Amino acid sequence: AGFFDNSKEVDASEFNDKFHTGIPILLEEETILRAFRQARDLFLWTNRRLLVVDTKGMTGQRVRYETIPYRYIDGFVFETAGRMDRDAEIYCYTTISDILDNGI
């Protein structure tokens, strides 16, 4: 994503359908609760996990899917927007050791 791109919440139902039928990544009983877009990337919070859809390259043909089940998230920090900093941020602390720091 770009340097100054802020995430925006988008309609979760649109991606719920897409990731059940078009790109079948979600489990049958899984639903997307909240969805956020940052440039071409998506952050999807389901009832079971966090799913990160990282679109790569100039053409966007390569896509990397990262999934973090909630049982591996030990805690999180949520920072609200302020006067000079207009975006909110969330940081997840996980016990999965091989997740790279991709701004998740």
Side-chain angles (χ1 to χ4, degrees):
F3 187 70
F4 291 108
D5 289 341
N6 291 330
S7 294
K8 303 276 191 253
E9 188 164 9
V10 292
D11 183 17
S13 63
E14 171 189 343
F15 297 104
N16 208 21
D17 296 339
K18 178 180 179 178
F19 288 108
H20 270 110
T21 56
I23 305 169
I25 291 176
L26 297 178
L27 300 171
E28 191 173 305
E29 68 278 1
E30 190 173 16
T31 58
I32 297 175
L33 304 174
R34 305 291 290 265
F36 297 88
R37 179 182 295 281
Q38 183 175 359
R40 298 185 303 175
D41 300 338
L42 292 171
F43 299 87
L44 307 173
W45 297 85
T46 76
N47 58 330
R48 301 181 65 106
R49 60 186 161 161
L50 167 61
L51 178 63
V52 180
V53 182
D54 183 11
T55 305
K56 303 235 177 233
M58 295 295 289
T59 62
Q61 291 181 329
R62 290 184 311 132
V63 179
R64 177 181 174 155
Y65 300 92
E66 292 183 24
T67 182
I68 305 171
Y70 290 140
R71 69 175 177 251
Y72 293 108
I73 297 177
D74 293 329
F76 63 91
V77 173
F78 184 77
E79 186 178 299
T80 61
R83 238 180 229 168
M84 299 300 284
D85 185 15
R86 298 182 324 176
D87 64 332
E89 298 171 12
I90 188 167
Y91 302 93
C92 294
Y93 297 99
T94 179
T95 56
I96 302 174
S97 61
D98 58 342
I99 291 181
L100 300 175
D101 180 19
N102 288 332
I104 296 175

